[in-house]
Amino acid sequence: MQKMLEEDRLRWRKAAEVEQPTVKTQPEQKEKPEAKIPDQKETPQEKKSKKLFPKSSLFVNWGENLSEDDQREAQDLFVKYGYNVFLSDRLPLDRALPDTRDPRCLKKSYPEDLPSIGVVLIYLNEALSIIKRAMRSIIDRTPKHLLKEIILVDDNSSEENLKGDLDLYVKSIEQENPSLAIIRVRNNVSYGLSHARASGWRAATADVVAILDAHIEVHELWAEPLLTQIKADRTVVTSPVFDNVKFDDFNVIPYDPFAQGFDWALWCMYEGFSDEYYKLNDGSLPGKSPSVMGIIVAERKYLGEIGLLDEGMKVYGGENVELGIRVSKLHLSNTR
């Protein structure tokens, strides 16, 4: 899944870069009298904006009423990040999310005495508002008695606002939540995804560690079902169902639960659950999966016991295969 997300981001960037020369040619268009000298009687609301980037995937379903200046700013940010940072910066950090769970999930209850959880957020030059929104959603939608810490792992970002501005936001979070630990891990070299995840794991102290990307938002009751599974069996590595936040308008598109696997080329792919699972006809039940694509929630000590992750892997798309082999191998050895 992580490799798929990375390819999506690269595809969006390429689509955006197709339109980048248009920005450079705008001064030629402004030489026209009607564009250079606007009617002084015309109000900003009456001013009609033309579509400057008709081939950009950012503006296919979004940005119809943006001014030309806002279009340029949105396009520049899209080229830089691969998603709509212009919109993200203007959305509330605590925005409401649609409840995409199976209706039967609403009837479930979970034990109070669940293990504590520490959330690791990995990022490299992620947009500041994206990281803030991830933190806000985790804090607001995780029971305070369960959430012990948030670990921010910066894999050597170069963006200045991920230093001073993020520091100020973290301080405000700490003041609002004195019982919550915010731990910062800053790498002075970009080691890659697996190393960053491992460094976040090393900084964690909670019973369970959730290793996530920073470009996420969590729903209500996201943690309790996962912690319940781990409490019942500490050797289970879990992963939530994660929906798609659209890169252009940030609408949430529900994804159906599927097993996560890989083919003979070790390519990430989705597979159906077992026939026995579907015979139960209950989408609120957890399903077994041969691997986990990037989003890992597991007992912290257990991850160490199985060797964590191969920190030599530099790119997306391998940790799911490796982790699946580690966990299944240990389960096989335990049954002999």
Side-chain angles (χ1 to χ4, degrees):
M1 182 64 181
Q2 295 301 316
K3 189 173 184 66
M4 294 162 63
L5 291 172
E6 183 67 9
E7 288 182 341
D8 283 346
R9 181 178 290 192
L10 290 174
R11 186 174 67 253
W12 299 333
R13 282 178 174 156
K14 288 179 181 178
E17 287 165 359
V18 169
E19 286 300 305
Q20 198 60 12
T22 306
V23 178
K24 297 178 182 179
T25 61
Q26 285 300 317
E28 297 178 9
Q29 297 178 5
K30 287 184 178 179
E31 292 176 3
K32 297 180 181 180
E34 63 272 22
K36 187 175 182 181
I37 306 174
D39 186 351
Q40 296 300 316
K41 295 180 181 179
E42 189 178 30
T43 63
Q45 289 78 11
E46 295 170 341
K47 197 173 181 179
K48 294 182 179 179
S49 300
K50 56 187 173 183
K51 203 168 185 179
L52 300 180
F53 307 98
K55 294 182 181 179
S56 173
S57 57
L58 177 64
F59 294 102
V60 173
N61 300 307
W62 175 85
E64 185 67 30
N65 298 317
L66 286 184
S67 69
E68 292 180 11
D69 286 343
D70 285 347
Q71 287 182 59
R72 293 188 186 96
E73 181 182 350
Q75 177 68 9
D76 287 345
L77 289 169
F78 180 47
V79 170
K80 181 176 182 179
Y81 290 100
Y83 51 78
N84 195 345
V85 175
F86 182 90
L87 176 59
S88 176
D89 291 347
R90 288 158 176 79
L91 288 175
L93 297 181
D94 60 347
R95 72 168 184 150
L97 294 175
D99 194 335
T100 59
R101 295 174 296 169
D102 186 292
R104 286 164 289 195
C105 292
L106 302 176
K107 300 178 182 179
K108 293 183 179 294
S109 59
Y110 303 98
E112 285 290 324
D113 57 338
L114 290 171
S116 64
I117 188 169
V119 179
V120 178
L121 296 177
I122 309 295
Y123 62 92
L124 172 61
N125 289 327
E126 202 80 66
L128 177 60
S129 60
I130 293 290
I131 299 174
K132 286 182 176 181
R133 189 171 297 107
M135 294 180 66
R136 185 78 267 164
S137 71
I138 291 165
I139 293 169
D140 290 348
R141 295 165 184 157
T142 311
K144 293 186 183 300
H145 72 283
L146 297 179
L147 182 61
K148 183 177 183 180
E149 59 207 2
I150 296 177
I151 300 103
L152 300 177
V153 181
D154 185 341
D155 199 29
N156 196 34
S157 295
S158 57
E159 293 295 313
E160 286 300 320
N161 64 359
L162 296 183
K163 299 172 185 176
D165 291 347
L166 182 55
D167 290 344
L168 291 174
Y169 184 70
V170 167
K171 286 182 181 179
S172 70
I173 291 295
E174 290 174 330
Q175 291 172 355
E176 295 173 4
N177 304 272
S179 63
L180 176 64
I182 307 293
I183 302 169
R184 308 292 296 278
V185 178
R186 293 186 176 95
N187 295 331
N188 55 12
V189 175
S190 293
Y191 291 107
L193 183 61
S194 291
H195 186 283
R197 285 176 169 156
S199 61
W201 172 85
R202 291 191 180 94
T205 62
D207 300 323
V208 171
V209 61
I211 303 178
L212 315 177
D213 295 320
H215 44 268
I216 56 94
E217 298 169 68
V218 300
H219 292 260
E220 296 286 350
L221 289 172
W222 76 277
E224 291 91 321
L226 303 170
L227 294 175
T228 299
Q229 295 296 317
I230 294 169
K231 180 182 180 181
D233 183 355
R234 67 181 294 267
T235 68
V236 169
V237 176
T238 65
S239 183
V241 176
F242 36 98
D243 300 322
N244 177 24
V245 178
K246 291 185 64 181
F247 74 95
D248 54 351
D249 59 14
F250 276 64
N251 286 328
V252 177
I253 306 300
Y255 276 0
D256 291 330
F258 279 101
Q260 302 165 15
F262 47 89
D263 59 17
W264 288 109
L266 305 185
W267 190 259
C268 302
M269 59 189 297
Y270 287 114
E271 291 285 350
F273 293 123
S274 66
D275 293 339
E276 288 74 17
Y277 176 85
Y278 291 113
K279 287 178 182 177
L280 298 173
N281 194 29
D282 187 351
S284 70
L285 296 175
K288 293 183 179 180
S289 180
S291 70
V292 173
M293 296 181 188
I295 305 299
I296 304 166
V297 186
E299 189 195 71
R300 178 175 56 85
K301 291 182 179 179
Y302 175 68
L303 279 183
E305 291 170 8
I306 63 175
L308 195 56
L309 294 170
D310 182 352
E311 297 176 54
M313 294 190 294
K314 302 295 184 183
V315 295
Y316 291 95
E319 73 284 345
N320 63 310
V321 177
E322 181 198 18
L323 190 60
I325 293 173
R326 287 178 188 272
V327 175
S328 59
K329 182 179 179 181
L330 185 64
H331 279 199
L332 287 172
S333 65
N334 285 340
T335 58
R336 289 177 181 174

